[in-house]
Amino acid sequence: MSHIVRIQTEVRDPVAVSAACERLKLPQPSQGVFKLFSAQAAGLGIELPGWRYPVVCDTANGHVHFDNYGGRWGEQARLDAFLQAYAVQKASLEARRRGHTVLEQPLEDGSIKLTVQIGGAA
């Protein structure tokens, strides 16, 4: 039986944030208060390549704070790649915690297909 699921990402799991950073070969996130252009945000700070300010993930409420000035201070594609990596890592972690097997397949359009085999029998 096949089920297709769309995931709207809320960033709440520090372990999955760390795994997403490792997957994308980014520096590990650090907890703190970070300056964004005219504001501050608290949470896990993530350094994206070419971004002037860090992306800050407030794992208490799932919100992601950033200021890339409409793409002038950082490519949106970098943030999108991080959110995709986070979603893949979080879904995989949760499936494995329940004893399931996860197969990952990159698709031509840049999306990633995850197949979760119930019970771990692949």
Side-chain angles (χ1 to χ4, degrees):
M1 180 184 300
S2 176
H3 299 277
I4 295 175
V5 179
R6 290 188 181 268
I7 299 173
Q8 182 171 354
T9 307
E10 290 184 1
V11 179
R12 294 181 179 268
D13 185 341
V15 174
V17 170
S18 180
C21 288
E22 185 173 320
R23 178 186 183 104
L24 296 174
K25 301 183 180 0
L26 299 173
Q28 282 297 299
S30 59
Q31 186 73 40
V33 176
F34 299 90
K35 181 183 182 323
L36 305 177
F37 177 67
S38 61
Q40 292 185 332
L44 286 174
I46 298 162
E47 297 175 34
L48 295 178
W51 277 55
R52 183 176 293 186
Y53 300 103
V55 170
V56 182
C57 301
D58 184 344
T59 57
N61 61 25
H63 295 164
V64 176
H65 305 277
F66 64 95
D67 188 349
N68 70 346
Y69 194 42
R72 293 179 189 94
W73 295 343
E75 291 180 48
Q76 182 65 37
R78 299 283 189 178
L79 177 58
D80 295 343
F82 168 75
L83 293 174
Q84 179 187 50
Y86 173 82
V88 167
Q89 294 300 131
K90 180 63 177 167
S92 297
L93 285 168
E94 291 300 322
R96 289 185 182 116
R97 281 184 188 140
R98 289 168 174 77
H100 307 316
T101 300
V102 179
L103 300 173
E104 188 176 317
Q105 179 184 1
L107 301 179
E108 287 184 23
D109 66 359
S111 60
I112 299 171
K113 177 181 176 182
L114 292 180
T115 303
V116 178
Q117 192 71 34
I118 304 298

